Amino acid sequence: MKITIVKDYDAMSDVATTDVVEVLKNVEKPVLGLATGSTPVGLYKNLVKLNEEKEIDFSKVSSVNLDEYVGLTENHDQSYRYFMNNHLFNHVNIDKANTYVPNGSTTDFAKATADYDQLLDSFGQVDLQVLGLGANGHIGFNEPAEELSLNTHVVELKPETIDANARFFASKDDVPKKAITMGIASIMKAKKIIVLVSGAAKAEVLNTFNNDLISTLVPCSLLKLHPNVHLIVDEAAATYLK
Ligand code: F6R
């Protein structure tokens, strides 16, 4: 695992941008795995600017997002589809038909999860997976648990995740209790994974990268099994990283 510690959020976003640009410039039909939340917003802003400047091209890019809230339609301003459109897809020359977010507003989750796995299989391998990190160690919405699912599934969000995400909703009660998320195997299948981590709230969970143990109770620890991970951490989050 490559670890880069940088000064602040903007520097983290810049390093992440370099990794994404490298893939966009070197892969003919790039498949990007994308995350939502506060952490990748700076990265997406950089990508929009570089696309405006014609430095990078999204016309042959496909994307698969990690997760979506259960019960929110695409038009809900807190849905992850809305987030992706708003922060990236509406502002770059990507064909939206090639952008995929799990379907959280269906009533048939058996079908929605199977369809998403089939879609992921059809891509073979994601070229670059972007991950944020939950303060409890979740990646995607694979929450700490005795057992983790390999494939796309519906998950009950942990109280701490609901608390953390309440900042985006009018009240905590409005935060969906469930999400549909890519599983661990799908995440781990990517050729390269970049993990963006910013802020003191994420400092403690990074302790897991100081030892050689893995645990499903700290889902991000499983990233130690992947051969090509770049962990990009700002100083506030890196307090305990050795
Ligand atoms: C989002 C996702 C989550 C977030 C994580 C951190 O698609 O899968 O794992 O990356 O909850 O969220 P922020 O960046 O808001 O701290």
Side-chain angles (χ1 to χ4, degrees):
M1 179 174 298
K2 179 177 167 188
I3 301 180
T4 303
I5 298 174
V6 293
K7 193 170 175 7
D8 54 18
Y9 179 87
D10 287 344
M12 175 200 73
S13 305
D14 290 347
V15 173
T17 303
T18 305
D19 282 0
V20 176
V21 168
E22 191 189 327
V23 169
L24 294 183
K25 290 203 165 167
N26 292 302
V27 179
E28 202 194 328
K29 288 184 174 174
V31 182
L32 298 179
L34 298 175
T36 59
S38 303
T39 313
V41 169
L43 162 66
Y44 297 152
K45 217 168 146 184
N46 288 346
L47 294 176
V48 167
K49 185 162 176 279
L50 290 172
N51 186 241
E52 274 166 12
E53 293 166 353
K54 307 249 183 290
E55 267 296 310
I56 53 173
D57 174 29
F58 281 85
S59 63
K60 292 188 182 137
V61 173
S62 298
S63 70
V64 283
N65 262 79
L66 286 164
D67 41 24
E68 178 60 283
Y69 286 120
V70 163
L72 300 193
T73 61
E74 292 195 359
N75 296 326
H76 190 288
D77 66 3
Q78 290 310 324
S79 78
Y80 285 168
R81 161 55 73 179
Y82 188 97
F83 174 104
M84 288 312 302
N85 288 346
N86 194 30
H87 287 282
L88 186 66
F89 302 151
N90 285 347
H91 312 291
V92 295
N93 69 328
I94 198 165
D95 180 350
K96 264 201 209 151
N98 296 331
T99 68
Y100 300 92
V101 179
N103 182 358
S105 61
T106 180
T107 49
D108 187 350
F109 283 97
K111 181 173 181 333
T113 52
D115 284 354
Y116 210 66
D117 285 335
Q118 203 175 24
L119 170 81
L120 295 172
D121 279 349
S122 74
F123 283 121
Q125 230 182 345
V126 163
D127 292 294
L128 181 74
Q129 175 66 56
V130 177
L131 290 182
L133 187 61
N136 67 2
H138 73 217
I139 49 176
F141 273 138
N142 293 278
E143 297 279 37
E146 293 289 338
E147 294 178 319
L148 294 177
S149 298
L150 293 178
N151 298 309
T152 307
H153 59 286
V154 172
V155 64
E156 204 138 328
L157 297 174
K158 290 274 185 189
E160 62 269 22
T161 299
I162 292 173
D163 284 348
N165 290 1
R167 69 191 193 279
F168 298 114
F169 291 83
S171 84
K172 189 172 140 181
D173 291 341
D174 293 330
V175 183
K177 308 284 179 286
K178 291 181 182 181
I180 175 168
T181 182
M182 261 192 207
I184 289 292
S186 310
I187 293 173
M188 295 290 279
K189 210 173 154 193
K191 267 185 208 150
K192 178 172 179 171
I193 300 176
I194 58 173
V195 192
L196 282 58
V197 195
S198 169
K202 309 279 174 74
E204 218 170 300
V205 75
L206 292 181
N207 258 325
T208 190
F209 296 110
N210 293 325
N211 61 51
D212 73 345
L213 304 172
I214 55 168
S215 166
T216 58
L217 297 174
V218 189
C220 64
S221 68
L222 300 176
L223 294 170
K224 293 179 212 179
L225 295 169
H226 192 281
N228 193 3
V229 174
H230 187 189
L231 183 64
I232 310 165
V233 187
D234 73 5
E235 276 175 8
T239 323
Y240 307 116
L241 257 190
K242 287 179 194 138

